[in-house]
Amino acid sequence: MKLPLASGKLVMRGVKDLIHDYRGAIGSVVGLQLVSSLAGVTLPWLLGRIIDRIQAGVASRDWVGQQMVIALVVVAVAAIFSFLAEYRARVMGERIFAHLRDGLVDSVIHLPLSTVESAGTGDLVGRTTRDIERLQFMIRQGIAAILMITTTLVVTFVAAFLTSPLLAFVLLIGPLGVWPLMAWYLPRTVPAYRSSARSWADLSGSVAETLDQADTVDALGLSGKRIAQLDVIIREIWRQERYSAWMRSWLFMGIVCATLSPLIVIVLLGAWLVPNGALTIGAVSTIALYAYQVRGPVWEATFWVDVSMEAYTSLARIFGVAQVEPDREASAHAPAGTPAIVARDVCYAYHSGQNVLHEVSLELRGGETLAIVGPSGAGKSTFGRMLAGIHPPTSGSVTVGGVRLVDLPESELHQQVALVTQEQHVFTGTIASNLRLARPDASDEELWAVLDAVGVDWVRGLGRTEAQTSTAQSVPEGKSSAETEKTGLYAEVGGAGRKLNPAQVQQLALARIVLLNPHTLVLDEATSLMDPSAARSLEQSLSRVLAGRSVIAIAHRLYTAHDADRVAVMMDGRIVELGTHDELVAAGGEYASLWESWQQD
């Protein structure tokens, strides 16, 4: 399954909305470019006028000098207003691009997780990288170029008709000659651009999956298969890019002929009409200069039409993200207090007809710690996502106080239950900004409190180290020693900042969840990237911090189950045992076998 593409109608509606939203800025750019274009067409008119006056013998040296001064002023005016138009257009392009980029980020954030998982990472990565880069070039530079090209062509044609209606029609040969070329070119290349975008998305997904699961690839000896898959995709991309390059080559050769034709025709007509007195040499010279001026915009126009088709394809893919239907609709509010989470006959299928959960029922007691254990593929993580409200069940329900989790608004859902997995991310910024994702209004003291609560001491140490190694820079004049202690919180991490190891990333994620303060927490092997002693220490710290709250711990280290109030054993998508550690060991069932094997290891 791939994410949808927006229809041509939706893309055009989106473009019209952008034009409407930025109509003031567009009008400003057009106005500035209009002045620049008027100044630009004045120069050939002045030269033609000078030629005619000199030929008639009525042009004095002083008059010619005056005209040349005027020509220099015209050139200066054209350059100044062209610069202003370009500047305003670039600023407008940046704003439009930021608007589209923010809209895409918002759409991606609110995508149903089930849709992301079924579509695969490659398609989404391709839309947020290659497609946004293509669109970025078009918006940041293309909008300015297209507005300037359009204004220049219109003003030049009007000036040519005012100079000589007869020869002005010749200028239309260029655009009219390019039109059939584009009509031949576009139907043959737009599908190629779409196919290329899909292939690049497949390449991104294949590379990302191979790198993310490099250990598994090496362990199972899959390197050859993965490389062969990449080779197939790369060959397909090469074939598509080569085809597009050949098509562009034929297009450019046709454009050369189309843009040179008006100049040749004007010279031939001038040689015939001037001796007959139908035209003056000055008029022919002016129109010839206009024809030469038009060549550049026509060339640029064909280039930007080609880029526009690529951008159109990318825009359809970007707008398509917003077309994904939500898998839930907020229609209820959570009850007051801290009601328990209850799962009733929960079934779930990633693919229709292939259930991975089979009528699972579980009632979580308020304030208890429940460990879910079982072999890989038993459905533990999937069930954890149901309990966290990430996925709506295929059938059955997961409720809190009688209200289905998937019926709650996101803000209320996160106050009820939160999921922490081993897959966490550090955003570029400070440690404080990463923590405040959970609660933007949290004070520094509250941030230190949650860090201390989960036993994260390296942040405070980072602050002291930086203060010692760069005393002159880290303690600005007027700052107190207490304020320098905040250096650790405000140290840059991610991107070009300090690199954190996986264990530190998980610690920050857990601290963030403590700051969020939900009444139920689902830990899906959230400490698996730490060494056993550090993980156990952190889990003990969490148990103290989360006292009175419900915790569901999906674990592969059975000491977590040993410490839990109850243990649920999952096998083949079902809960086969439920009870305390001692009860399940005494029962001699699946859990007892797991416990015995784990102790022997």
Side-chain angles (χ1 to χ4, degrees), residues 49-323:
R49 186 162 175 255
I50 291 171
I51 291 172
D52 284 341
R53 293 288 293 269
I54 291 174
Q55 185 186 28
V58 296
S60 66
R61 181 179 299 177
D62 291 340
W63 181 85
V64 172
Q66 292 172 357
Q67 298 303 303
M68 295 306 295
V69 171
I70 294 173
L72 291 174
V73 172
V74 166
V75 170
V77 170
I80 291 171
F81 277 86
S82 177
F83 168 79
L84 293 174
E86 173 86 9
Y87 174 78
R88 294 295 297 272
R90 291 295 182 94
V91 171
M92 178 184 66
E94 291 292 339
R95 290 175 178 168
I96 293 175
F97 178 68
H99 175 85
L100 288 172
R101 182 184 56 204
D102 291 347
L104 175 62
V105 171
D106 183 69
S107 298
V108 169
I109 288 174
H110 291 93
L111 274 178
L113 190 58
S114 55
T115 300
V116 177
E117 291 178 341
S118 60
T121 57
D123 194 15
L124 191 56
V125 168
R127 297 184 190 223
T128 55
T129 54
R130 183 170 176 80
D131 285 317
I132 203 71
E133 286 171 4
R134 283 179 170 180
L135 197 61
Q136 172 181 321
F137 177 66
M138 177 63 198
I139 290 176
R140 287 179 169 173
Q141 300 184 34
I143 292 177
I146 289 172
L147 289 175
M148 293 175 188
I149 288 167
T150 303
T151 306
T152 300
L153 288 176
V154 170
V155 171
T156 302
F157 281 126
V158 170
F161 273 100
L162 293 176
T163 302
S164 173
L166 179 61
L167 287 182
F169 282 103
V170 178
L171 295 184
L172 297 176
I173 293 176
L176 292 178
V178 171
W179 183 263
L181 287 173
M182 299 306 296
W184 167 83
Y185 173 77
L186 293 178
R188 290 168 173 80
T189 54
V190 171
Y193 290 144
R194 290 176 179 170
S195 179
S196 177
R198 288 193 296 269
S199 296
W200 278 103
D202 291 340
L203 180 64
S204 299
S206 183
V207 171
E209 290 165 1
T210 302
L211 293 177
D212 290 343
Q213 304 300 326
D215 292 341
T216 302
V217 171
D218 289 340
L220 298 179
L222 298 176
S223 300
K225 290 184 178 180
R226 299 303 296 179
I227 292 173
Q229 182 185 52
L230 286 173
D231 287 342
V232 170
I233 298 173
I234 291 171
R235 279 195 294 270
E236 181 63 16
I237 291 174
W238 165 250
R239 186 186 66 81
Q240 293 161 347
E241 295 293 339
R242 183 177 59 183
Y243 171 80
S244 299
W246 272 108
M247 295 298 293
R248 282 193 293 270
S249 298
W250 286 108
L251 174 67
F252 291 156
M253 285 190 288
I255 292 171
V256 169
C257 296
T259 54
L260 284 176
S261 297
L263 274 172
I264 297 171
V265 174
I266 287 170
V267 171
L268 292 176
L269 285 176
W272 176 50
L273 294 173
V274 170
N276 295 328
L279 287 174
T280 65
I281 294 177
V284 174
S285 300
T286 299
I287 300 299
L289 288 172
Y290 286 155
Y292 188 80
Q293 283 184 341
V294 165
R295 284 192 69 219
V298 170
W299 262 101
E300 287 191 50
T302 55
F303 168 77
W304 285 110
V305 166
D306 191 46
V307 174
S308 296
M309 292 303 102
E310 288 187 335
Y312 177 87
T313 301
S314 296
L315 205 57
R317 289 168 57 79
I318 289 170
F319 283 168
V321 176
Q323 304 307 309

Side-chain angles (χ1 to χ4, degrees), residues 106 395 445 512 517 521 554:
D106 183 69
S395 63
E445 289 71 20
R512 187 160 51 219
N517 195 28
L521 184 62
I554 300 169

